[in-house]
Amino acid sequence: MHFETPLEFLESRTYDEINVGDSSSLIRTLRPEDVRLFALMSGDMNPALANAEFRHSGLFQDFIAHGMWTASLMSTTLGTQFPGPGTVLIESTVHFARPVTIGDTITVTVTVKQKFDHNRHIILDCTCFNQDQLLVVSGSAEVLAPREKIRTKRTTTPEITISDKYARLQVLVKRAEGLAPIDMAVVHPCDRESLRGALLAAEANLIDPILIGPEQKIRAVAEENGFDLGQHRIVNVKHSHEAAAMAVTLIRSNDVEALMKGSLHTDELMAEVIARGTGLRTERRISHVFLMDVPTYPRPVMITDAAVNILPTLQEKVDIIQNAIDLAHIIGTAEPKVAILSAVETVNPKIQSTLDAAALCKMADRGQIKGGLLDGPLAFDNAVSLVAAKTKGIRSAVAGRADILVVPDLESGNMLAKQLEYLGNALSAGIVLGARVPIVLTSRADTAETRIASCVIAALIAHAAREKQASER
């Protein structure tokens, strides 16, 4: 007899109810998150599973499961289906016939082979076949069968989100795959994270760094942390202010294509960038964008401006939005959805940000802002949640699907971005737009991973500028 457990209940079969030849089956499909979760739970980071180069060497042709993930399905079948709750596993043997890859559907069948009345032990044959009816795992299990019948309502397992920031960083880095490294001035990289970020970005072939700062101090940081400076150029200057001025000079002379902030204060760097006559201004207002990959949001989202413009005017917001739209085009979003944020989703004359939002949307209608789809004012929940937008009766192509979040002021934007990074485990990249070159502007507390992510964006912008210049010749 073949037994199936009702979906709503876990129900055991007692020793006396079980006969030789009885069986039960369980079906599972391997998902990528199953492999990651099993690796985290077990600590088994086998390179055959984790290293792409090894995985595609010919031994295994795809992302494979841990062998014990498949074997654990046999235990699941025994403990939840047949004999079911109350079963105690005494001994088992397992033979692995072939790997299980992402997307494979495994059918586990356990069949009673022998019964022992003196101790209520049962021996079962166990087989696991994939969707092509190929054997992947076989074995046997000796169990102590339940003495009494147990029937209990099946509980819903909690949802688990695996937030792998490193994996998301690799996806971002692949956007710049195949592009030549760009020359980047790294201003005053005189602490561990700023120097490490520049060196890792160079290792990833994103940048060719020019390290500008007190040479002795840079070399001391490298030696203290075991960093290899290799053949990277160092421009020796006395202090951070001189480093910022030198970086701007190199850009104005077309010796570098991008700039990265090191361990100096943002104001010190930006003072040189925005200096009239000697800085890096263009006809466009300079603004900052956080590009964030948030585990709970289905697409990357930009937040602007959260680092440069403190309380932007309506006209300044036009440039802030256009800068972000232009960046969205560069990273592959053809018509970004732009949500103009406020505390509410209706125009209120007492809340300036709602008035600005209404004006900005009309300006986009008239072609004063190009390349994006604008809507606002929108509260944050309406901007990122379709459910929230529908609940409020908002009909919009932007609400719940925003690619760009335009904040009312620097304070709200900065808090929003840092909440997502520190509480939401978002991967963050920070870039300054509207200057002659892209500027990687990260916090001194930011990790090297954030700096690498920012370098990816800078590299994409620099290569887009190269292509534009070539097309204009």
Side-chain angles (χ1 to χ4, degrees):
M1 183 179 294
H2 191 79
F3 292 97
E4 296 292 344
T5 302
L7 293 177
E8 294 185 11
F9 293 92
L10 296 178
E11 183 177 340
S12 64
R13 304 288 168 180
T14 65
Y15 180 83
D16 294 333
E17 292 179 307
I18 297 172
N19 299 306
V20 173
D22 288 349
S23 66
S24 183
S25 297
L26 175 76
I27 300 175
R28 289 284 188 275
T29 298
L30 179 66
R31 305 168 302 169
E33 53 266 39
D34 293 326
V35 179
R36 293 195 293 269
L37 185 59
F38 197 95
L40 290 171
M41 183 179 65
S42 65
D44 182 0
M45 306 301 288
N46 187 334
L49 308 167
N51 185 283
E53 188 173 312
F54 187 94
R55 285 203 309 271
H56 296 288
S57 63
L59 178 60
F60 299 117
Q61 295 302 315
D62 207 344
F63 196 10
I64 68 169
H66 299 76
M68 292 310 295
W69 177 83
T70 312
S72 72
L73 296 182
M74 298 192 302
S75 177
T76 300
T77 308
L78 296 169
T80 64
Q81 282 195 192
F82 186 75
T87 301
V88 178
L89 181 62
I90 304 299
E91 185 177 337
S92 67
T93 61
V94 182
H95 172 72
F96 300 97
R98 54 177 42 83
V100 175
T101 62
I102 296 295
D104 281 355
T105 297
I106 306 303
T107 300
V108 183
T109 302
V110 296
T111 305
V112 178
K113 182 179 179 182
Q114 288 181 274
K115 293 179 65 180
F116 301 94
D117 293 339
H118 69 283
N119 59 5
R120 295 186 296 114
H121 283 200
I122 297 175
I123 294 179
L124 302 100
D125 285 331
C126 307
T127 59
C128 301
F129 286 86
N130 65 18
Q131 67 279 358
D132 298 320
Q133 302 305 311
L134 297 174
L135 182 69
V136 294
V137 176
S138 62
S140 66
E142 182 175 347
V143 304
L144 173 63
R147 184 186 298 275
E148 298 178 354
K149 197 169 190 65
I150 298 174
R151 181 179 170 86
T152 181
K153 193 170 181 64
R154 188 185 296 269
T155 58
T156 303
T157 56
E159 291 186 9
I160 299 174
T161 299
I162 301 174
S163 178
D164 190 341
K165 188 179 287 189
Y166 180 77
R168 285 182 279 129
L169 175 62
Q170 298 314 303
V171 171
L172 182 61
V173 169
K174 281 186 177 295
R175 286 176 175 264
E177 200 170 62
L179 298 179
I182 62 170
D183 290 326
M184 177 176 282
V186 185
V187 185
H188 205 255
C190 294
D191 67 358
R192 182 181 187 277
E193 288 305 317
S194 61
L195 183 55
R196 177 171 172 257
L199 296 177
L200 286 176
E203 188 178 323
N205 291 318
L206 295 170
I207 68 171
D208 184 5
I210 301 171
L211 309 175
I212 305 174
E215 183 173 0
Q216 187 175 357
K217 194 170 185 178
I218 293 172
R219 293 194 180 280
V221 172
E223 184 176 352
E224 181 182 344
N225 292 280
F227 297 156
D228 182 9
L229 295 179
Q231 301 300 312
H232 297 312
R233 292 166 286 177
I234 299 177
V235 177
N236 183 35
V237 296
K238 295 179 181 178
H239 45 67
S240 57
H241 180 76
E242 191 175 336
M246 176 60 71
V248 170
T249 298
L250 291 176
I251 291 167
R252 289 179 64 88
S253 61
N254 296 318
D255 289 321
V256 294
E257 298 174 272
L259 188 153
M260 179 194 283
K261 172 179 171 286
S263 57
L264 74 169
H265 198 278
T266 296
D267 289 348
E268 191 173 9
L269 175 62
M270 293 307 296
E272 292 295 327
V273 170
I274 65 174
R276 294 190 180 278
T278 59
L280 304 177
R281 288 175 178 267
T282 65
E283 71 283 355
R284 190 77 65 78
R285 178 79 181 184
I286 289 175
S287 63
H288 181 274
V289 168
F290 278 113
L291 178 63
M292 312 201 82
D293 186 333
V294 186
T296 52
Y297 196 61
R299 64 186 64 82
V301 64
M302 297 182 193
I303 298 173
T304 189
D305 180 342
V308 173
N309 294 282
I310 298 174
L311 190 63
T313 64
L314 177 63
Q315 188 55 49
E316 289 167 351
K317 287 181 180 179
V318 171
D319 279 351
I320 289 170
I321 293 170
Q322 195 65 64
N323 285 341
I325 290 173
D326 291 349
L327 174 58
H329 292 166
I330 289 171
I331 65 174
T333 305
E335 188 180 44
K337 298 175 177 65
V338 183
I340 317 298
L341 296 186
S342 184
V344 294
E345 61 279 349
T346 54
V347 176
N348 185 333
K350 295 181 180 180
I351 305 177
Q352 183 61 44
S353 58
T354 69
L355 299 176
D356 286 354
L360 290 164
C361 291
K362 181 53 66 176
M363 294 171 81
D365 290 342
R366 300 289 169 84
Q368 292 172 268
I369 301 172
K370 302 179 186 297
L373 190 61
L374 275 65
D375 195 10
L378 289 172
F380 179 75
D381 55 344
N382 311 144
V384 299
S385 168
L386 283 169
V387 174
K390 288 179 181 179
T391 300
K392 294 273 183 86
I394 299 173
R395 295 182 180 180
S396 163
V398 175
R401 307 177 180 89
D403 300 300
I404 299 171
L405 302 175
V406 181
V407 297
D409 53 43
L410 182 145
E411 288 179 304
S412 59
N414 196 271
M415 285 186 277
L416 172 59
K418 288 184 177 177
Q419 284 166 1
L420 291 176
E421 182 177 2
Y422 286 92
L423 298 181
N425 199 34
L427 173 66
S428 173
I431 201 83
V432 169
L433 307 169
R436 289 175 57 168
V437 299
I439 302 170
V440 174
L441 189 65
T442 52
S443 166
R444 283 173 290 176
D446 282 335
T447 63
E449 287 72 24
T450 293
R451 298 171 196 272
I452 294 172
S454 303
C455 286
V456 173
I457 306 304
L460 294 174
I461 294 170
H463 279 278
R466 286 185 191 177
E467 293 173 6
K468 183 179 179 181
Q469 290 173 0
S471 66
E472 291 175 350
R473 287 173 186 164

